[in-house]
Amino acid sequence: MSSGHPLLLRALRLDIDNLRHLAVTANLVGDISRFIHVLQRERGASTLYLGSQGRQFADRREAFVIASQQAGTLMRHRLETLVEEARPQATSHLLRRIATVWLALDDLPRLRTAVATLSLSADAATHAFNQLISGLLAIVFETTNTSADHDITRALVAIFHLMQGKELAGQERACGAFGFTQGRFDDAHRQLFEQLIHDQARCFDTFMEFAGDASRAAWQDALSRQTQAHIEALRESAGRASEAPAHDRARLSETWYELTTNRIDRLKVVEDGAIDELTRLCHDKIAKAHAALEQASKPTLSSPALSCAPGEQLLGLGGAAGLGELTESAFTSPLGRSLIELTHAQSSRLQSLSDELENTRKTLRERKLIERAKGLIMAHQSMSEEQAYRFLRKTSMDQSKSMASMAQSILDLSSMLARQER
């Protein structure tokens, strides 16, 4: 056995190990998806409950709390499994994200008690739920770094943006429920409402860019035109400054909640399909890697000694052919031409895949820069995530820079000021 053969077998086993880890990651993404979905329901019901001073959605909120507790328990178990199997290249960032979420999960019972006793405002409760869900989405975001496989990376990027867009749709539901319950939208809530609609579209566009054919098809069938038309009509009414009569408030808020819940539930169907597609992709690649390992492990018969140099028998040349004749024959024989064409085609395909993977990773790097810059802005300017994003976008437009370039400039400036302080 040649010295290269054991290396090949080891590489194939490592591939299988990494793909198995990605399959575990896909399962975690599914658990996080289910937990976020029930948390979104709990958040929406809690907003209506608090906005109505406990007159609406009391029973439904309690049912959603129980569902959230069950989904949260399953997700904790999956997180523990992932932590135990975390790969070195992902450990630092991933564990930091999980630690943040774990603290928020530990604080969730206190938040629920405050909601049940009407001890905090609807905005404060929504913000607390938003922070937890944001942390869960950050874990999904970090999983894109654990994959060295181009197809799986694309699937994870698509799923992350679908989940993020669905979360923004959930925040829109909560914001709208609060405004319709109050009978009007003040300027702050109206601006937030419009921003959430805009940011959803941005996330869903990115999802469609990276999603597979099945997920794109599911997206096209996700929502009925009638439901979307009703939602658009209520969105327009929210943009008007007039105050709704008191007897219409409960009806409007519950109609809005039911319509947007239907929309979010349909988005969840698309999300489930995308996660199932990811899981199948992982298992298909594991099966192929096992087949390759099995083939490579089979003993091979030693080849008989060849009377000509390597490659000459394949090209149909005798051992006496000179270098010039060999080269000429390689270009003129039909087999030689087909081999050259095959090589060019293979090279072109590999370059295309490499370029596409690099574009994917570039997109991820830019989004990470923007997330980090947003965090700095939020910390130093006491802004919400939405305000920080709007500030970063406006600043980049004012300076004719991309958001990624502006984010990098902010991070560089922060590092420089930190060094000066020391």
Side-chain angles (χ1 to χ4, degrees):
M1 182 180 292
S2 68
S3 60
H5 193 254
L7 293 177
L8 173 61
L9 295 179
R10 184 180 178 191
L12 290 170
R13 292 189 185 101
L14 286 172
D15 284 342
I16 293 170
D17 182 57
N18 287 329
L19 287 168
R20 282 175 175 164
H21 177 70
L22 287 173
V24 172
T25 299
N27 291 333
L28 171 64
V29 170
D31 285 341
I32 290 178
S33 167
R34 285 184 283 275
F35 184 44
I36 287 177
H37 190 65
V38 291
L39 274 179
Q40 288 167 338
R41 287 184 169 185
E42 182 183 349
R43 176 182 58 195
S46 297
T47 301
L48 280 169
Y49 178 78
L50 291 168
S52 65
Q53 291 298 303
R55 291 186 295 274
Q56 291 177 261
F57 274 66
D59 292 340
R60 266 200 259 190
R61 190 194 71 82
E62 290 179 3
F64 292 153
V65 167
I66 293 171
S68 294
Q69 289 171 332
Q70 293 171 343
T73 299
L74 291 174
M75 190 202 62
R76 280 180 184 258
H77 291 323
R78 191 81 71 181
L79 283 174
E80 289 171 351
T81 301
L82 189 71
V83 168
E84 291 171 0
E85 298 185 1
R87 294 301 187 266
Q89 65 271 25
T91 298
S92 175
H93 293 294
L94 191 59
L95 293 186
R96 190 176 292 111
R97 299 291 195 189
I98 292 175
T100 301
V101 165
W102 216 272
L103 292 172
L105 289 173
D106 289 341
D107 203 41
L108 197 51
R110 193 165 63 90
L111 170 62
R112 287 169 173 152
T113 299
V115 171
T117 57
L118 305 175
S119 302
L120 78 172
S121 68
D123 277 351
T126 299
H127 178 72
F129 280 110
N130 290 356
Q131 290 295 102
L132 172 56
I133 294 173
S134 177
L136 291 165
L137 286 172
I139 293 175
V140 177
F141 182 74
E142 288 298 337
T143 64
T144 59
N145 268 345
T146 67
S147 171
D149 183 277
H150 170 258
D151 296 325
I152 293 176
T153 298
R154 287 186 66 87
L156 284 168
V157 170
I159 289 168
F160 168 74
H161 284 92
L162 176 58
M163 292 178 72
Q164 189 176 39
K166 177 171 163 287
E167 162 55 11
L168 293 170
Q171 291 185 27
E172 181 196 4
R173 175 175 61 184
C175 181
F178 176 75
F180 287 120
T181 301
Q182 296 300 306
R184 64 182 296 274
F185 288 77
D186 58 28
D187 289 341
H189 283 87
R190 190 178 297 112
Q191 289 176 10
L192 173 60
F193 197 65
E194 292 171 356
Q195 186 65 47
L196 289 169
I197 295 170
H198 173 269
D199 289 346
Q200 283 175 66
R202 181 169 52 87
C203 287
F204 293 142
D205 285 346
T206 306
F207 161 71
M208 290 294 282
E209 180 184 349
F210 287 90
D213 293 339
S215 293
R216 288 197 190 99
W219 172 264
Q220 299 298 336
D221 300 332
L223 194 65
S224 72
R225 292 182 180 179
Q226 184 178 15
T227 300
Q228 188 62 36
H230 287 321
I231 290 175
E232 290 296 339
L234 285 172
R235 282 173 170 175
E236 289 180 14
S237 71
R240 295 192 288 268
S242 57
E243 187 167 334
H247 62 275
D248 283 343
R249 294 177 186 178
R251 178 183 60 82
L252 281 173
S253 63
E254 295 209 14
T255 299
W256 166 259
Y257 183 87
E258 296 302 333
L259 286 169
T260 50
T261 295
N262 177 268
R263 176 176 181 247
I264 291 169
D265 287 346
R266 296 302 302 166
L267 291 175
K268 182 66 170 66
V269 172
V270 180
E271 192 174 287
D272 288 344
I275 292 170
D276 288 343
E277 196 174 357
L278 170 64
T279 302
R280 286 194 300 272
L281 180 62
C282 289
H283 288 295
D284 285 347
K285 286 183 177 286
I286 290 172
K288 289 177 181 177
H290 271 297
L293 177 61
E294 183 179 354
Q295 183 64 33
S297 300
K298 290 180 180 178
T300 56
L301 297 175
S302 58
S303 301
L306 297 176
S307 59
C308 52
E312 291 183 10
Q313 192 175 64
L314 178 64
L315 294 171
L317 301 173
L323 181 60
E325 294 175 12
L326 177 65
T327 304
E328 182 181 357
S329 298
F331 279 97
T332 56
S333 71
L335 179 57
R337 285 198 301 274
S338 66
L339 286 172
I340 291 166
E341 289 165 4
L342 179 62
T343 302
H344 281 308
Q346 178 88 343
S347 176
S348 177
R349 172 170 167 72
L350 289 174
Q351 185 59 49
S352 175
L353 288 173
S354 177
D355 291 344
E356 191 174 355
L357 181 56
E358 179 54 33
N359 288 336
T360 303
R361 295 197 182 282
K362 180 183 176 184
T363 300
L364 290 173
R365 288 194 297 269
E366 289 180 350
R367 294 189 185 282
K368 281 194 170 186
L369 285 175
I370 292 170
E371 291 298 318
R372 289 174 59 198
K374 274 170 46 181
L376 279 174
I377 295 168
M378 290 165 64
H380 291 282
Q381 300 296 324
S382 299
M383 291 183 177
S384 67
E385 185 175 0
E386 292 81 9
Q387 291 171 328
Y389 178 81
R390 289 199 298 271
F391 174 83
L392 181 58
R393 185 179 61 180
K394 184 177 184 305
T395 305
S396 61
M397 291 174 63
D398 291 344
Q399 298 192 20
S400 299
K401 289 184 175 182
S402 69
M403 286 188 66
S405 298
M406 193 68 242
Q408 185 63 65
S409 298
I410 291 172
L411 294 171
D412 291 343
L413 180 61
S414 173
S415 299
M416 183 180 69
L417 292 175
R419 287 195 299 269
Q420 288 179 351
E421 288 177 359
R422 290 200 289 272

